[in-house]
DNA sequence: AGTAAATGTATACCAGGTGCAGAAATACTC
DNA sequence: GAGTATTTCTGCACCTGGTATACATTTACT
């Protein structure tokens, strides 16, 4: 495609990676709040000003890796095979993620991943930053539902917030268990069962909590 | 009940109110990010250190008024008449809120409320702070569902995140419309219809997006 | 009236983040 | 390959939110 990234571009990517790597390493070793951005900049051999040119805020040094997932649900809905229902596509995608131990499902127990997850869950400002991804994911998914499933705007938005909320709840549940010791393999069966239950709930509604029995 | 608030207690309340009032006034006039906490402290005739003794962070100067709503859904579920379904109680409560133009439903167009709402929606750090209320509301509601509706833990948590997400989506939708000009009375009928649609969706599920027709 | 506990203040300080002016590196042109 | 224009990086000063410390003031209790 682009046979020439160009020197400037390559250097930028290297600097970006250098800063990110230095940050993650230091944060994992000493804790997010115990390391200042100045220290990160120094470790990456870059000025503080340059660091902020690459990452808008300290939190982004950690969460920028998850930025791709912001539009993941929307992409899954758009890319589903013709005739397939959006919810089915999303469920299958989530189950695939579990099977492959995709970190986004919370079911990856590689030591680094687990430590990173735990750090995020234990750091309020990082959790807050993650919430913004959630909001973005809701918007993108709502749009995708509206455009590809012929869903009215309000319904699309409501469905999107429900779906995203449920997916995060599932992932958060898995992540929390692993972060505090359970192994991914031990959790797998339960995670699958929970996910299937959750998507069934999404599809069929909260009958248990509604009137007409 | 407590015939004696005590002088110390009364002074605290007055200081608390003085700081909050000064903050809201200044923020509405000049914008949240344009006013420093030092200015708020000065206007309230209090030291900066004291201000932070009353409010843990700048954002709380604005959102502390909404703290009560964090457990509102949980309280509604717990206080529902015997035999009533949780979802029904929540829906009725929300519809009552709309009728009474409760600001939490986004349907109050008193100028101050509208300006405050708009300020919050336009200020990322305030939105982030609101998200934390959402998380708290989810937890409290999940607990209430588990304890009073005999709902299994996972189901309770999933139901809670769905319900809270939907309520916030409805309120956010109303608030956004009002913040940008629509009147509460003009919006009322639509808001009611939307709420009923949303709660029906919660109860019956996202059939439109699921497979088995 | 006098003392202990709580609250408030002043000051200095730290960390995240930005504006600015200039130095250094890269890309473009002849 | 030299020279110039454009990015990018840097160092520095600065602002703001938030905290630690040490001291003064006020309230409550006897």
């Amino acid at each position: 495609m682009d046979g020439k990234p160009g020197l400037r571009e390559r250097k930028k990517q290297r600097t970006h990676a250098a800063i990110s790597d230095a940050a993650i390493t230091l944060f994992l070793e000493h804790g997010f709040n115990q390391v200042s951005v100045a220290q990160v900049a120094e470790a990456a051999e870059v000025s503080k000003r340059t660091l902020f040119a690459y990452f808008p805020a300290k939190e982004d040094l950690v969460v920028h890796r998850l930025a791709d997932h912001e539009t993941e649900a929307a992409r899954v809905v758009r890319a589903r095979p013709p005739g397939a229902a959006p919810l089915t596509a999303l469920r299958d995608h989530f189950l695939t993620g579990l099977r492959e131990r995709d970190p986004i499902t919370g079911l990856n127990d590689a030591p680094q991943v687990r430590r990173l997850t735990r750090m995020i869950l234990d750091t309020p400002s990082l959790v807050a930053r993650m919430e913004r991804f959630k909001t973005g994911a809701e918007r993108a998914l709502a749009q995708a539902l509206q455009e590809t499933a012929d869903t009215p705007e309000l319904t699309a938005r409501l469905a999107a917030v429900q779906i995203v909320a449920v997916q995060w709840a599932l992932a958060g549940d898995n992540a929390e268990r692993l972060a505090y010791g359970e192994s991914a393999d031990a959790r797998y069966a339960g995670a699958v069962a929970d996910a299937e239950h959750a998507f069934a709930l999404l599809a069929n509604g909260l009958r248990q909590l509604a009137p007409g029995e």
Side-chain angles (χ1 to χ4, degrees), chain A:
Chain A
M1 292 303 161
D2 48 32
K4 283 185 179 181
L7 174 56
R8 197 162 255 168
E9 209 57 36
R10 270 178 288 145
K11 267 208 161 179
K12 267 169 99 165
Q13 289 179 5
R14 268 194 299 148
T15 305
H16 185 92
I19 297 173
S20 173
D21 291 349
I24 299 284
T25 303
L26 285 173
F27 290 155
L28 282 181
E29 187 160 357
H30 303 109
F32 184 76
N33 290 318
Q34 276 60 54
V35 178
S36 72
V37 293
Q39 288 174 279
V40 174
E42 193 180 5
E45 295 181 312
V46 157
S47 79
K48 197 175 79 168
R49 205 68 184 71
T50 299
L51 185 153
F52 280 111
Y54 281 85
F55 298 91
K58 188 185 183 185
E59 287 74 25
D60 293 291
L61 291 167
V62 176
V63 303
H64 75 97
R65 293 156 185 254
L66 303 156
D68 295 341
H69 295 293
E70 191 165 357
T71 56
E72 190 172 7
R75 287 199 310 271
V76 168
V77 165
R78 288 184 197 277
R80 90 197 107 113
L87 257 186
T88 308
L90 287 166
R91 190 200 54 195
D92 292 349
H93 180 75
F94 194 87
L95 290 173
T96 302
L98 287 177
R99 208 179 312 121
E100 298 176 351
R101 306 292 194 266
D102 188 333
I104 201 69
T105 63
L107 203 64
N108 188 308
D109 62 358
Q112 304 163 8
V113 175
R114 194 161 53 188
R115 279 193 299 158
L116 201 69
T117 304
R118 186 163 185 165
M119 187 181 81
I120 293 173
L121 295 180
D122 289 347
T123 308
S125 66
L126 288 173
V127 173
R129 188 67 186 70
M130 299 288 284
E131 296 284 333
R132 276 181 41 199
F133 281 148
K134 219 168 127 179
T135 306
E138 289 167 1
R139 237 194 297 273
L141 177 57
Q143 190 95 13
L145 288 174
Q146 211 180 326
E147 290 175 8
T148 75
D150 203 33
T151 313
E153 183 180 354
L154 177 67
T155 306
R157 288 171 62 170
L158 293 169
V161 298
Q162 288 186 57
I163 292 167
V164 172
V166 163
Q167 285 188 336
W168 277 68
L170 290 171
D173 195 30
N174 292 329
E176 208 173 332
R177 290 172 190 250
L178 296 213
Y180 290 88
E182 205 166 333
S183 87
D185 289 347
R187 171 71 188 139
Y188 180 65
V192 169
D194 286 356
E196 276 167 351
H197 174 63
F199 277 94
L201 217 57
L202 275 173
N204 300 323
L206 308 174
R207 294 273 172 56
Q208 306 179 359
L209 307 177
E213 169 49 26

